[in-house]
Amino acid sequence: MKILREALGKIFQHCLEGYPYECCGLMIGIEENGRTVLDAVKASNVYAGDRRVRYLIDPMEYYRVERGAEGRGLRVLGVYHSHPNVPARPSAYDIEQFFPWYTYLIVSVSDAGVVEYRVWRLEEGGSSRPVEDSLEIS
Amino acid sequence: MQVKIYLPTPLRQYANGKDMVQVNADTVGEALKSLTDMFSSLRKQIFTESGAVRSFVNIFVNEDDIRHLQGQETKLKNGDTIYIIPSIAGG
């Protein structure tokens, strides 16, 4: 997957501002010869419990972002979220919640800043196994 | 009742690229059945083998989650829109 530097910067800023809570949002862009993320849209983490270890996007907020993206000729390509103080690998709960087709960007953050970021998606063919994807910044 | 069903991006590949499908149905369950009869490969994306809606799929009628209504038995009115929305969650 490719991502515009500005979009990645926006994601990092959101994840750092929200620390030590998990932040989340949607990555929007185009799919032509691979995926290119052109913008990131922040979403509220509406999880009712401990937001340091869980996130949840309100379904109707998802809908509004998706329709907004389509109005710009773009589509929702995936989801980003932060992992405060833990590596950017999907947790068991992340994997359970991964939706086929989407790309998931996980940003590990600490009080010192962004530690690492990695992208994942479910293996093709209905598998529930996550595989790591490359991320090219353009 | 004539109702519309909204499909999110990841599911459109199973419905000839459509984002909205119109069906005739009196309940949510009937509407989803019509949808999956039209596009059979959507069935396993939306339902478990026992016919329940998958846990990572949200079904709304207008702005209301059917989990807070009568589930698949929820009655529909003419002009209602059913939204199929992926659950976006993790930890």
Side-chain angles (χ1 to χ4, degrees):
Chain A
M1 185 173 83
K2 293 181 188 163
I3 188 166
L4 284 193
R5 189 172 302 280
E6 293 77 11
L8 188 61
K10 210 165 156 180
I11 291 169
F12 286 171
Q13 191 183 351
H14 183 205
C15 294
L16 291 170
E17 281 169 3
Y19 179 87
Y21 297 101
E22 288 202 14
C23 291
C24 50
L26 298 164
M27 301 185 290
I28 62 176
I30 52 172
E31 191 171 42
E32 282 169 12
N33 302 319
R35 295 180 174 186
T36 304
V37 175
L38 301 175
D39 198 6
V41 181
K42 289 184 194 180
S44 299
N45 180 355
V46 298
Y47 184 69
D50 187 350
R51 289 182 294 105
R52 288 172 300 183
V53 292
R54 289 280 187 273
Y55 76 93
L56 173 68
I57 297 179
D58 176 74
M60 293 317 284
E61 182 169 14
Y62 169 89
Y63 170 75
R64 286 188 286 273
V65 172
E66 185 162 69
R67 280 315 209 188
E70 286 163 0
R72 297 163 62 188
L74 307 175
R75 61 202 306 197
V76 175
L77 298 175
V79 180
Y80 72 85
H81 77 280
S82 60
H83 272 185
N85 305 316
V86 288
R89 284 195 305 272
S91 64
Y93 187 66
D94 282 331
I95 296 166
E96 202 179 293
Q97 296 292 322
F98 273 3
F99 200 84
W101 192 84
Y102 284 134
T103 298
Y104 289 84
L105 167 64
I106 302 178
V107 183
S108 171
V109 288
S110 73
D111 55 2
V114 172
V115 179
E116 61 165 348
Y117 52 97
R118 296 166 75 177
V119 290
W120 307 83
R121 58 192 294 187
L122 289 180
E123 210 170 39
E124 301 286 335
S127 156
S128 56
R129 200 173 82 86
V131 288
E132 187 164 8
D133 199 358
S134 60
L135 185 66
E136 184 186 326
I137 302 166
S138 57
Chain B
M1 306 296 160
Q2 198 159 69
V3 300
K4 288 187 284 189
I5 304 177
Y6 174 80
L7 295 170
T9 308
L11 296 185
R12 293 177 195 165
Q13 61 187 306
Y14 305 106
N16 296 339
K18 290 178 190 297
D19 62 347
M20 201 70 92
V21 176
Q22 197 149 313
V23 298
N24 283 300
D26 290 331
T27 65
V28 169
E30 283 178 25
L32 296 178
K33 184 175 184 315
S34 296
L35 174 73
T36 53
D37 284 348
M38 259 187 268
F39 305 106
S40 58
S41 48
L42 269 177
R43 191 170 294 121
K44 75 170 188 181
Q45 306 298 324
I46 298 173
F47 296 112
T48 62
E49 282 178 13
S50 65
V53 174
R54 289 191 177 280
S55 60
F56 53 73
V57 173
N58 297 298
I59 310 285
F60 280 67
V61 174
N62 303 320
E63 296 251 333
D64 298 313
D65 190 331
I66 64 164
R67 294 182 188 101
H68 306 136
L69 301 171
Q70 286 77 48
Q72 292 193 54
E73 300 305 315
T74 302
K75 298 265 188 276
L76 297 170
K77 299 188 305 296
N78 225 11
D80 278 346
T81 301
I82 296 171
Y83 297 90
I84 301 176
I85 308 280
S87 171
I88 308 288

